Amino acid sequence: MKKILILLTSLSFNYYCYGQKALTFGQAKSQGISVEHLDSIYASGIDTDEKLSVFKTNQDKYFEAYQNLLQDFGKFLKKNNFLWSKTTKGFNRIYFDKSGKIEYFLYNFKPDQLTKEQEKTFGDLLQSFIKTYTFPLKASRKFAQCSPVTYMPATK
């Protein structure tokens, strides 16, 4: 009985961890994670076609919560001594479960903006951040949000 319990616990832990990934779009593709497939599973948090939006009625709260997520991540980076030496532009596609947990956080930066070491540190910190972060709005189904993002050096 103990062996079965340990096996079930191990399987559920692996499933949970498998679904929480911070990856570049290229890393996702190389791991067999297709954006097209994810987009078929996760609805749009907000969409120009209101019928496709998960958050139809409280769009202002949704935008505010999404901006707060990005700001919270920026604060997390700063707290962990990851500082931007220059304005750095990128793109995010974030996939959430119904409770607001981040299951996939895909990102890319424009070429030649970060060193290999900075890219690795950024990815490691992002992976750490998504393990504990929960989006404050709940939904009736899984949802996704994408956006360009600009990271700025700290002002004095």
Side-chain angles (χ1 to χ4, degrees):
M1 184 66 174
K2 280 186 179 180
K3 288 181 182 179
I4 292 172
L5 182 58
I6 291 170
L7 177 63
L8 289 174
T9 303
S10 175
L11 288 173
S12 64
F13 178 76
N14 286 338
Y15 175 76
Y16 183 75
C17 289
Y18 176 76
Q20 279 194 290
K21 291 198 176 251
L23 303 164
T24 66
F25 284 90
Q27 290 168 332
K29 186 176 181 178
S30 71
Q31 291 184 22
I33 301 169
S34 159
V35 171
E36 293 77 16
H37 176 69
L38 291 175
D39 287 348
S40 73
I41 298 170
Y42 296 80
S44 293
I46 204 96
D47 196 287
T48 53
D49 181 350
E50 193 176 292
K51 294 175 191 168
L52 301 176
S53 293
V54 171
F55 297 95
K56 294 176 175 103
T57 57
N58 51 356
Q59 292 181 1
D60 289 340
K61 284 184 183 178
Y62 178 75
F63 280 123
E64 182 180 335
Y66 184 70
Q67 288 175 338
N68 287 340
L69 179 160
L70 297 176
Q71 290 171 358
D72 289 345
F73 179 54
K75 291 173 188 171
F76 179 84
L77 290 172
K78 186 175 180 180
K79 179 181 171 189
N80 286 279
N81 300 312
F82 188 94
L83 303 174
W84 301 96
S85 59
K86 62 182 179 180
T87 300
T88 306
K89 295 182 182 244
F91 185 80
N92 299 329
R93 183 110 177 112
I94 309 170
Y95 297 90
F96 302 88
D97 70 10
K98 294 188 285 189
S99 71
K101 283 287 193 190
I102 297 171
E103 294 187 327
Y104 295 93
F105 192 122
L106 306 183
Y107 64 94
N108 268 349
F109 291 105
K110 291 192 174 193
D112 302 322
Q113 293 192 91
L114 299 177
T115 66
K116 293 288 183 199
E117 183 181 316
Q118 288 172 318
E119 286 179 18
K120 181 176 179 349
T121 302
F122 177 89
D124 291 345
L125 288 171
L126 178 56
Q127 183 66 47
S128 178
F129 176 78
I130 68 171
K131 285 182 180 180
T132 59
Y133 188 85
T134 301
F135 194 73
L137 302 179
K138 309 304 176 236
S140 60
R141 59 188 186 226
K142 293 180 175 195
F143 63 98
Q145 183 60 47
C146 64
S147 69
V149 62
T150 302
Y151 295 100
M152 306 287 286
T155 55
K156 294 181 181 182

